[in-house]
Amino acid sequence: MTVRTRFAPSPTGFLHVGGARTALFCYLQARANNGVFILRIEDTDLERSTPESVQAILDGMHWLGLEHDEGPFYQSQRFERYAQVTHDLIGQGKAYHCYCSKERLEALREGQMKQGIKPRYDGLCRERSDIPHGIKPVVRFRNPDSGDVVFDDKVRGRISISNEELDDLVIARPDGSPTYNFTVVVDDIDMAVTMVIRGDDHINNTPRQINIYRALDAQLPEFAHVPMILGEDGARLSKRHGAVGVMQYRDDGYLPQALLNYLVRLGWSHGDEEIFSLEEMIARFDIGAVNRKAAAFSLEKLDWLNQHYLRTLPAREVASHLEWHFKQAGLDPELGPPLSDLVTVQADRVKTLREMTQVSRVFYADFERFDDEAAKKHLRPVVELPLRTLAGRLAEVDVWEPQRLAETVHVTAEELELNMGKIAQPLRVALTGTAVSPSIDKTLWLVGRDRSLARIDRALGYIAARTAAQA
RNA sequence: GCUCCCUUCGUCUAGCGGUCCAGGACGCGGCCCUCUCAAGGCUGAAACACGAGUUCGAUUCUCGUAGGGAGCGCCA
């Protein structure tokens, strides 16, 4: 039988890391088995669902590269189907109209809590013969009264709960709109889903859903409840506490490969391996090996992975992502070295593409002024001769490439009997305005000949001006 | 309150009764390399929540305790 999984978010916000990981696991499980990955939008709550959220989820999935095979299906477009099933259930006596007021339900619940028992509907309307007028009823599913619901969760193992803990849940509101626990079951049956992979906050819903499957004479799918993801401090992620959409990670300069790799290792491992390409994940992933414990998100480890991918992915590929950040920063890639060259030198110096953009600005646009401290320390009269000598040599370099440039600087240093620090640092400040940049040969290479010579000139002018001012 | 679930270094994890005075990774400390900052190499500190069982032997099995989470909606 074909493996069919689905990711079924409700569009009430962006796609956050927890959802993204669940989606990844669903995707992997399908791909690993040559199966089908379905995307379903659970928008039965018309109040809270928004088109923007739907788009945000689609964007996030696309950016991560988690392409679905079927869908997206929208529950809001399937109301007729749910109504049909509800109708059938009522006809078979497996569901019934309930006229109880919210007030009565509230009082019932309070009373039960007070008695120290679990609040549940008492079934008053199950056998009701009188039909109160003027009240639009809800429809309740008639849950079995006794016995246990037992299922073998792929990640949690056997879970058992007594039907006495469950009650008759509402499956349709007075206006006929269906509720979650009912729609998931109908959809998963209709879409022939074979494995339901979702957050473990749904564990408690599973038994009642299983009862609905049975009432519908449908075959049960397998269930796999994955733990949630906690914030850096181990506390639950919430809107006001660290919960950000995956697109925010793009904005912050992370590569989708890095996020995916980070996410797959959160709650799952394969021996001592840390690095997984999507292909490797597909080959190795095993839903049964997923941990049961909630895991805290670590931005530091994501940083490490991101740098790993900045360094190991083909420079061209990284460059294409970098280009987006350049545009965001208002930098024109055409005004400096090819981005793939830039990537080869900056990749092991930064953690993110955003950072790479920031530290590379100087190769694409002139800097405003010298960093005070750096200038004070390195742009002094003693460096005039070295800089001038260097400028002369650099003007003559035949091929402007790192090795030649390194030789040029070294030879000059030797001639002037200076150690590298004495010549490289002033040059660095002249070229970039700061005391920190890639190795001096690479810096020269990226800045380019014309720009390098002009900047050395500018630095010499700066030294002269300052000397004059002090005199 | 009731039900279900979870518990190995700061964090992510390996471990599926002896191979564990617990392995890897991130982070952190030290050393090396070095034109700055990184990167890299070597190296160090750092954990089985607690208590009873079962067993010749428990990180690994069972049961309690403590701590944590989720659910108990006409939200999903």
Side-chain angles (χ1 to χ4, degrees), chain A residues 174-227:
Chain A
D175 66 359
S177 64
T179 60
Y180 169 76
N181 281 111
F182 180 61
T183 58
V184 238
V185 175
V186 173
D187 284 349
D188 285 337
I189 292 171
D190 286 354
M191 294 169 197
V193 170
T194 59
M195 186 183 286
V196 171
I197 299 172
R198 78 229 306 192
D200 67 4
D201 46 333
H202 289 292
I203 283 189
N204 294 290
N205 287 325
T206 306
R208 47 192 359 149
Q209 289 176 13
I210 286 175
N211 283 329
I212 297 177
Y213 270 95
R214 293 197 172 131
L216 260 18
D217 286 318
Q219 203 192 340
L220 285 180
E222 292 190 289
F223 291 96
H225 289 94
V226 306

Side-chain angles (χ1 to χ4, degrees), chain A residues 129-194:
Chain A
S129 47
D130 61 312
I131 296 180
H133 280 284
I135 300 177
K136 282 213 144 202
V138 297
V139 177
R140 283 184 188 274
F141 172 71
R142 185 188 285 263
N143 197 79
D145 295 311
S146 58
D148 295 326
V149 179
V150 181
F151 65 103
D152 289 300
D153 192 278
K154 299 302 274 185
V155 346
R156 296 309 183 105
R158 174 156 296 201
I159 291 173
S160 168
I161 186 165
S162 166
N163 269 319
E164 285 164 29
E165 294 296 329
L166 274 21
D167 65 355
D168 295 348
L169 71 155
V170 172
I171 59 174
R173 305 182 181 94
D175 66 359
S177 64
T179 60
Y180 169 76
N181 281 111
F182 180 61
T183 58
V184 238
V185 175
V186 173
D187 284 349
D188 285 337
I189 292 171
D190 286 354
M191 294 169 197
V193 170
T194 59

Side-chain angles (χ1 to χ4, degrees), chain A residues 378-431:
Chain A
H378 301 291
L379 297 185
R380 293 178 296 151
V382 281
V383 308
E384 279 188 295
L385 176 64
L387 285 185
R388 240 181 252 293
T389 311
L390 225 23
R393 292 271 164 70
L394 291 170
E396 316 260 288
V397 167
D398 52 358
V399 188
W400 195 263
E401 49 96 28
Q403 204 187 328
R404 273 294 149 66
L405 297 167
E407 283 165 15
T408 305
V409 177
H410 273 101
V411 167
T412 308
E414 274 173 34
E415 266 186 28
L416 299 175
E417 293 184 344
L418 291 171
N419 60 37
M420 275 297 284
K422 285 274 193 291
I423 193 162
Q425 278 305 83
L427 179 56
R428 174 169 283 118
V429 179
L431 294 174

Side-chain angles (χ1 to χ4, degrees), chain A residues 33 48 64 66 70 90 102 106 116 124 232 234 252 287 304 324 345 431:
Chain A
N33 295 285
R48 299 199 301 152
L64 288 170
L66 302 179
E70 290 181 17
I90 293 173
K102 287 195 174 184
E106 190 59 40
L124 180 74
E232 299 253 11
D252 289 345
I287 191 73
W304 175 73
W324 185 86
V345 348
L431 294 174

Side-chain angles (χ1 to χ4, degrees), chain A residues 289-304:
Chain A
V290 170
N291 266 208
R292 300 192 242 264
K293 193 178 60 163
F297 193 90
S298 165
L299 204 60
E300 283 174 335
K301 188 149 187 180
L302 208 212
D303 278 343
W304 175 73

